[in-house]
Amino acid sequence: MGSSADHGGAGGRAKKAGSQLWKKALLHSSLCFVMGFFTGFAPSSVSDWTSAAVTAGGVGSSHVVRALQNAAGGAVNRSLLAQGAFGGAGDALAAAAASPQPLLVVVTTTESTPAGAGERAAALTRMAHTLRLVAPPLLWVVVEAAPDVPATARLLRTTGVMYRHLTYKDNFTAADAAAGKERHHQRNVALGHIEHHRLAGVVLFAGLGDVFDLRFFDQLRQISAFGAWPVATMSRDERKVVVRGPACSSSAVTGWFSRDFSNGTSPAAGEASAARPGEVDVHGFAFNSSVLWDPERWGRYPTSEPDKSQDSMKFVQQVVLEDFSKVKGIPSDCSEVMVWHVDTTTRPSSSSLPSAGNKRR
């Protein structure tokens, strides 16, 4: 009897121990399953996630671009993103942060006339594709009349270029637009915005009819005060090519010239005139934006020419011609044309205003 009772107690203890082991094993297996289940949804590394996002080429890639731009303050080389070279992206961002490039502020004016509206979208798209090829940081400032804002705003959002879209409510007649008054007002709107927000950088006026050599933008970043360069103007309606700009010795500006190359012959070297032009072409110079908030500015025209102290565009055009020693020639010795302007203005008929077709776009 005693032996039978002992065997019964041992069997009960063995059953109980086996039940506990089974429960522990089940709990352990369940925990492992849950952890493995959720781990399977997590990316194995950050580089895998970014590469997958870029490979997808959809919304994910645009988020990656914006995230990297925010992390680097906008100074991200887009060629790295296009090639999917995220392995060295950290090094590229660190290098950009260590040696930041000067900001390029590119100001583009538009035209509110019905004839200009049809060409605006195409010209803006062409300019956007050019600016996308320029190394950051770059800010594109587009100015236009209020009625034209919605269509242009939709276009600018798709360009991939950092931009600011400025508008105004002032009304201009077709005669004002043809005389260049509206574009002059638009440039003042842009300069007022730059001055108000203290956008420190190099300001360039880029017309919708301008074509640039990409090396030109690298030259612009070397400007400390003012820069000037020759511009070749070509007409759509006339077989005429005129080059205007600074005459240089090395990178020092010594005068200004204007040459007509329409006859197919090149003028001899040194033919440039040393006389100062009455007004510098807005498409042929750039300047450091700090001149706009120079404390000495407001005392430069106290009585003789008070309008220039209030007109930022006239002020800058005047200052750039005051002292050639402050103007850097682009490129060195100004021997190469890097900016072309295609004049698409329709020539006026005999019944229209004489000056209606002579202003550059």
Side-chain angles (χ1 to χ4, degrees):
M1 294 288 295
S3 176
S4 171
D6 289 342
H7 284 298
R13 285 194 297 271
K15 254 187 209 184
K16 188 174 181 181
S19 176
Q20 290 177 349
L21 288 174
W22 182 82
K23 289 180 180 179
K24 287 181 180 180
L26 181 61
L27 179 61
H28 181 74
S29 300
S30 300
L31 289 174
C32 290
F33 175 78
V34 172
M35 291 180 65
F37 180 79
F38 286 105
T39 303
F41 286 99
S44 58
S45 67
V46 175
S47 62
D48 290 343
W49 178 82
T50 52
S51 299
V54 172
T55 303
V59 178
S61 60
S62 63
H63 287 305
V64 174
V65 173
R66 287 195 291 269
L68 289 176
Q69 286 177 329
N70 293 335
V76 177
N77 189 338
R78 287 179 176 271
S79 63
L80 292 176
L81 302 179
Q83 296 168 9
F86 280 91
D91 296 337
L93 296 179
S99 57
Q101 294 285 338
L103 173 68
L104 291 183
V105 183
V106 181
V107 177
T108 297
T109 58
T110 60
E111 192 172 84
S112 60
T113 60
E119 301 176 0
R120 185 185 302 111
L124 285 171
T125 301
R126 180 179 59 193
M127 180 64 68
H129 281 288
T130 298
L131 298 181
R132 288 180 64 180
L133 299 175
V134 181
L138 181 145
L139 175 64
W140 189 19
V141 179
V142 179
V143 191
E144 66 177 349
D148 304 320
V149 166
T152 302
R154 288 191 296 269
L155 186 151
L156 292 176
R157 284 194 293 267
T158 65
T159 60
V161 179
M162 184 169 65
Y163 71 91
R164 292 194 181 181
H165 192 190
L166 308 182
T167 186
Y168 56 91
K169 295 182 179 180
D170 305 74
N171 294 319
F172 291 88
T173 64
D176 291 336
K181 293 181 179 179
E182 183 176 19
R183 290 185 181 277
H184 185 82
H185 177 73
Q186 290 178 340
R187 294 182 186 110
N188 273 321
V189 170
L191 295 183
H193 180 84
I194 293 170
E195 179 181 1
H196 178 74
H197 293 281
R198 293 294 194 271
L199 300 178
V202 178
V203 180
L204 166 70
F205 297 101
L208 291 179
D210 291 349
V211 180
F212 301 95
D213 186 320
L214 286 178
R215 298 172 299 160
F216 169 74
F217 294 97
D218 295 328
Q219 299 273 346
L220 284 181
R221 298 186 192 274
Q222 302 174 17
I223 294 176
S224 57
F226 298 95
W229 52 87
V231 178
T233 302
M234 298 165 285
S235 175
R236 179 180 64 180
D237 298 331
E238 300 176 6
R239 294 183 178 180
K240 187 176 182 180
V241 178
V242 178
V243 178
R244 299 183 180 91
C248 304
S249 175
S250 185
S251 61
V253 175
T254 59
W256 238 260
F257 74 91
S258 177
R259 296 176 183 171
D260 189 343
F261 288 83
S262 303
N263 56 9
T265 60
S266 298
E271 187 180 326
S273 170
R276 297 175 188 269
E279 187 176 79
V280 63
D281 184 356
V282 295
H283 297 277
F285 81 99
F287 64 96
N288 192 301
S289 61
S290 60
V291 70
L292 295 173
W293 50 86
D294 183 349
E296 297 182 0
R297 168 186 174 180
W298 305 110
R300 299 183 75 119
Y301 304 102
T303 55
S304 59
E305 298 176 277
D307 63 312
K308 288 185 179 178
S309 66
Q310 303 299 325
D311 190 320
S312 297
M313 196 63 226
K314 285 185 178 180
F315 169 78
V316 172
Q317 287 178 293
Q318 178 70 25
V319 173
V320 73
L321 294 175
E322 284 184 352
D323 186 358
F324 285 168
S325 65
K326 297 180 180 178
V327 184
K328 173 182 173 61
I330 297 176
S332 180
D333 75 14
C334 305
S335 61
E336 183 179 358
V337 174
M338 305 182 79
V339 179
W340 296 264
H341 175 74
V342 181
D343 187 359
T344 58
T345 305
T346 302
R347 300 302 169 190
S349 62
S350 57
S351 60
S352 60
L353 294 175
S355 60
N358 297 328
K359 294 297 179 180
R360 295 181 53 182
R361 288 188 176 185

